[in-house]
Amino acid sequence: MRLQDQKRIVIKIGSATLVDEKTGRLRAAWLQTLIDDIAMLKAQGKEVLIVSSGAIALGRRRTHLPAGKLKLEESQAAAAIGQIALGEAYADALHKVDLTAGQILLTFEDTEERRRYLNARATLTKLLELDAVPIINENDTVATSEIKFGDNDRLAARVATMISADCLILLSDIDGLYTAPPATNPDAEHIPIIEHITPAIEAMAGSAGSSLAKGGMTTKIAAAKIAVNAGANMIIANGGDYNPLKALMEGGKCSWFTAVANPITQRKRWINGHLEPQGILTLDDGAVRALLSGKSLLPAGVKALDGNFAKGDAVIIRRLDGQEIARGLIGYDRTEADQIIGHKSSDIPALLGYDGRPELIHRDDMVLRDHEPVTPI
Ligand code: GLU
């Protein structure tokens, strides 16, 4: 895998990389070397988008808010102050290499609701057409904690799938995925390429993170699942040194998560990337086989339901051993679904008292996810 071969690239910059943990100041000299690298990539014909954290960290220093966890309105105020500084820093650094910044602040609903998702995508696409560099962050000033990404790893993955990026680079304070936390375990081994995000890979993630970073490894793996299933490769690399992208171009140490072979349509990307599915369906083996061969999900093969979903909500589809195999938009509310699972579709009119659609989830509303094959015993 080579960065050279990726055309449309989303780069996520974590707070711990951009802001000095001790002083709370922006690492301006470092930022300029990152932007120099971006100018180099753009000169090679690549398209670059930046998802940057740091608003709260920067705003916090300027307001002298107390150390420790901020209250919601404190972090919103800190973000309001810090986001201006953040945008200014990027605009200035890009200006020095004759590039233009365009700031976009997204909320959770902007990626979860289809209409707003399409709207945001149109703006991003236009910015790229205009040769600007989009600088994206969560709109922390209005987002409340219940409906928030909270971490920019998953936001960046959503952005990457929204604009069909080839590659997502997460620049953080660790140079990839290790078999165990390297800071505490001397036997930890670095994994350069991850082709399938298996439960074993997920278990390696733990939840390490610095005091500034929100995500840790868990949200990076969650981001990888969104990205690779939508056809984007993902890199985790240490961004702390000067010229971090140049280092990657020259084969620097990192972990690659490789995209699945059959990228899916735009609408399916949106379904695949849902961050808060409302329910879980567990299927019997026959239904799993039918799904994998491209069929719709019929109520007959569903063994169990979980969650209080409504018609049209995104749900997770699992096989009996608990492994997720697909996601989809369900065609029935939970109360109706309870009545029809385990039954033939031809019984639906009698069970519900009206002529409902034969499938619980139509194949056009479903995305198969990369998963481990069942090991024969
Ligand atoms: N949106 C937050 C900020 O700009 C950062 C979230 C994160 O660190 O992932 O401060």
Side-chain angles (χ1 to χ4, degrees):
M1 299 296 298
R2 298 182 339 146
L3 189 52
Q4 277 80 346
D5 303 328
Q6 318 294 315
K7 168 117 175 36
R8 186 173 275 189
I9 303 170
V10 176
I11 301 163
K12 183 257 168 176
I13 296 142
S15 299
T17 312
L18 187 70
V19 181
D20 186 300
E21 199 165 353
K22 286 197 198 75
T23 63
R25 282 176 200 277
L26 186 94
R27 298 176 61 217
W30 171 85
L31 178 62
Q32 195 62 54
T33 70
L34 172 86
I35 299 297
D36 290 347
D37 288 358
I38 288 176
M40 170 189 77
L41 296 180
K42 286 192 52 86
Q44 294 170 7
K46 300 188 188 306
E47 294 171 311
V48 178
L49 300 94
I50 297 175
V51 174
S52 181
S53 308
I56 296 175
L58 286 178
R60 191 177 180 134
R61 189 184 77 87
R62 291 174 188 225
T63 48
H64 305 292
L65 282 161
K69 201 172 160 7
L70 296 179
K71 293 201 194 81
L72 177 64
E73 64 276 15
E74 286 173 339
S75 60
Q76 289 181 325
I81 294 165
Q83 186 63 42
I84 292 189
L86 190 65
E88 207 171 36
Y90 278 101
D92 285 352
L94 284 163
H95 185 70
K96 289 210 176 77
V97 291
D98 284 330
L99 291 171
T100 307
Q103 176 176 277
I104 300 211
L105 301 178
L106 294 173
T107 58
F108 192 71
E109 294 94 332
D110 290 330
T111 65
E112 297 294 275
E113 272 179 36
R114 180 83 178 144
R115 188 178 53 81
R116 291 167 69 164
Y117 175 91
L118 294 176
N119 198 15
R121 187 175 79 186
T123 313
L124 287 168
T125 309
K126 193 52 153 185
L127 280 170
L128 292 177
E129 263 171 51
L130 296 172
D131 204 29
V133 179
I135 309 292
I136 302 149
N137 196 0
E138 180 160 15
N139 193 347
D140 294 309
T141 57
V142 293
T144 58
S145 45
E146 300 79 46
I147 42 158
K148 213 171 158 3
F149 289 97
D151 66 272
N152 275 4
D153 295 322
R154 292 175 310 145
L155 170 65
R158 277 304 246 161
V159 167
T161 64
M162 182 186 267
I163 48 105
S164 312
D166 303 303
C167 183
L168 165 64
I169 305 176
L170 302 182
L171 288 183
S172 81
D173 50 6
I174 185 154
D175 54 13
L177 181 67
Y178 284 78
T179 50
T184 51
N185 189 332
D187 296 330
E189 277 174 43
H190 179 260
I191 310 177
I193 296 197
I194 297 100
E195 280 173 1
H196 298 285
I197 303 170
T198 59
I201 291 288
E202 291 194 66
M204 288 171 198
S207 63
S210 68
S211 67
L212 285 179
K214 284 274 167 57
M217 205 42 88
T218 314
T219 56
K220 291 184 177 42
I221 301 292
K225 280 194 192 169
I226 297 171
V228 300
N229 280 293
N233 299 304
M234 192 185 100
I235 298 174
I236 299 177
N238 190 335
D241 291 341
Y242 283 6
N243 298 104
L245 301 173
K246 185 158 169 274
L248 279 177
M249 290 290 262
E250 290 165 359
K253 194 172 176 186
C254 66
S255 291
W256 280 88
F257 292 75
T258 55
V260 297
N262 299 317
I264 45 182
T265 61
Q266 274 298 344
R267 187 164 172 284
K268 290 204 173 184
R269 282 175 192 227
W270 172 72
I271 296 173
N272 164 62
H274 265 274
L275 295 174
E276 279 185 2
Q278 300 296 314
I280 300 173
L281 276 54
T282 306
L283 310 191
D284 65 23
D285 294 343
V288 170
R289 272 194 298 278
L291 247 58
L292 297 182
S293 70
K295 301 228 167 58
S296 294
L297 175 62
L298 302 179
V302 180
K303 298 293 268 189
L305 296 175
D306 194 13
N308 197 9
F309 49 82
K311 182 178 174 181
D313 279 347
V315 293
I316 292 175
I317 301 166
R318 288 188 180 159
R319 59 187 194 200
L320 287 172
D321 65 0
Q323 185 153 160
E324 177 173 345
I325 55 157
R327 283 186 179 207
L329 304 180
I330 194 152
Y332 287 94
D333 291 342
R334 168 74 198 247
T335 42
E336 294 168 327
D338 273 330
Q339 295 172 62
I340 60 174
I341 60 165
H343 293 279
K344 285 211 232 63
S345 297
S346 52
D347 294 341
I348 291 178
L351 290 165
L352 295 183
Y354 71 88
D355 215 0
R357 47 149 87 181
E359 59 284 317
L360 204 51
I361 303 182
H362 193 275
R363 61 185 190 164
D364 291 346
D365 292 335
M366 190 160 49
V367 190
L368 297 176
R369 294 206 131 195
D370 188 34
H371 63 278
E372 277 277 88
V374 188
T375 355
I377 310 163

